[in-house]
């Protein structure tokens, strides 16, 4: 168990289920003592010194807190199977090139193609025998499986297909940057831009304008590092990820004057997510780029709004960031993540004027805000 003070709260990380909780300091202290197997009566004595409550009430509090230690979660997204049989043939084989790195993906059917190919279509090349790594994706009934270089990585329920997509991206980013999974502190559901050897992460609920803002910024002197899948290593650098930027229909009016190629680009209908998107290749062709993170910005496009930029509570930011993130289950990486987050300034940016948004982001990069 690791605890970290953040503002007037404590963050507690549990190794057993890789879970983060934001709690009051007294609860964090009690959890720590329970985790050390300290006698409950001793803990009661310590609590009643800090809080003026009766002995039995303190004991009840300890027993309630103890439940947090005994709660274990099932591993998310995994469908445990004893054996998986690969298909004898695949419907499609595609090759993709990322700088000097070439990977092959075998897809068993159109379903698998739809889950992976659209965001990497801009990297597709003609068939080649000069392949660095081979991926295979295949489904059976209600599950989907994934193998890398002949080794099956895992199998997931199709109801939780996003876990497969996350793992696919994680395997790809490891191959691109030649790092193992234990060398990453986390992957964040965000967009990332860079300028002057620094980066900024944009976060927010789907539909708030992360990807649209990213497309606007990359047309105005910024480099797109990643969209939707932002990996950060244990040297605390934000790394490039080569997927295209997903552009929703309601953003086309804004972006078509800047990116006329969107008018004829393929349109993809994702019924499961109830959205229609087109994909815009990024302006980043050096996928080895990595930069430290300067700030987190929770961004929101709101029609007719004045531009509002405020620093927000680190606790508020933490509670929004963590649920949508993959965070390393290793204690040393959990500690690095908490130390990294503690130092980051966090902002809420609401805007309707694109030019003002771009100027505001420039000021954050240059410390003028």
């Amino acid at each position: 168990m690791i605890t970290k003070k953040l503002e007037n709260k404590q963050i507690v990380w549990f190794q057993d289920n890789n879970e983060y909780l934001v709690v009051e300091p007294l609860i964090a202290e009690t959890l720590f003592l329970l985790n050390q197997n300290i006698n409950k009566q001793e803990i009661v004595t310590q609590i009643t010194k800090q809080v003026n409550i009766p002995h039995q009430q303190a004991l009840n509090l300890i027993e309630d807190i103890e439940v947090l230690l005994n709660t274990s979660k099932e591993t998310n997204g995994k469908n445990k199977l004893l054996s998986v049989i690969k298909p004898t043939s695949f419907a499609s084989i595609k090759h993709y090139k990322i700088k000097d790195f070439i990977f092959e993906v075998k897809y068993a059917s159109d379903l698998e193609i739809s889950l992976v190919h659209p965001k990497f279509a801009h990297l597709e090349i003609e068939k080649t025998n000069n392949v660095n790594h081979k991926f295979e994706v295949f489904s059976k009934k209600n599950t989907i499986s994934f193998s890398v270089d002949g080794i099956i990585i895992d199998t997931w329920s199709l109801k939780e297909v996003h876990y497969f997509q996350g793992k696919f991206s994680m395997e790809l980013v490891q191959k691109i940057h030649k790092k193992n999974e234990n060398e990453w502190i986390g992957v964040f559901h965000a967009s990332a831009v860079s300028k002057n050897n620094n980066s900024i992460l944009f976060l927010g609920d789907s539909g708030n304008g992360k990807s649209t803002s990213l497309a606007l910024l990359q047309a105005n002197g910024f480099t797109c590092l990643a969209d939707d899948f932002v990996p950060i290593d244990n040297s605390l650098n934000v790394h490039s990820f080569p997927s295209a930027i997903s552009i929703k229909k309601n953003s086309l009016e804004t972006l078509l004057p800047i990116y006329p190629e969107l008018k004829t680009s393929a349109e993809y209908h994702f019924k499961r997510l109830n959205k229609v998107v087109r994909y815009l290749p990024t302006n980043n062709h050096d996928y080895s780029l990595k930069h430290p993170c300067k700030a987190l910005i929770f961004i929101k496009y709101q029609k007719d709004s004045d531009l509002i930029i405020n620093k927000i509570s680190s606790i508020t930011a933490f509670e929004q960031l963590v649920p949508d993130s993959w965070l390393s289950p290793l204690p040393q990486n959990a500690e690095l993540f908490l130390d990294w987050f503690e130092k980051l300034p966090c902002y809420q940016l609401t805007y309707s004027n694109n030019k003002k948004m771009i100027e505001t982001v420039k000021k954050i990069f240059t410390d003028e805000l």
Side-chain angles (χ1 to χ4, degrees), residues 216-239:
L216 289 166
L217 288 163
Q218 80 161 13
N220 284 274
F222 297 83
T223 299
C224 169
L225 285 181
D227 183 40
D228 272 345
F229 185 93
V230 180
I232 299 179
D233 71 1
N234 55 12
S235 297
L236 306 182
N237 285 311
V238 177
H239 283 250

Side-chain angles (χ1 to χ4, degrees), residues 52-83:
N52 185 22
I53 58 175
H55 180 280
Q56 187 57 47
Q57 192 175 336
L59 188 59
N60 292 343
L61 175 63
I62 291 167
E63 288 173 351
D64 287 342
I65 294 170
E66 190 175 26
V67 173
L68 293 174
L69 283 178
N70 298 328
T71 300
S72 60
K73 290 186 175 180
E74 294 180 3
T75 306
N76 283 336
K78 291 194 176 182
N79 185 54
K80 296 294 182 183
L81 294 180
L82 294 176
S83 63

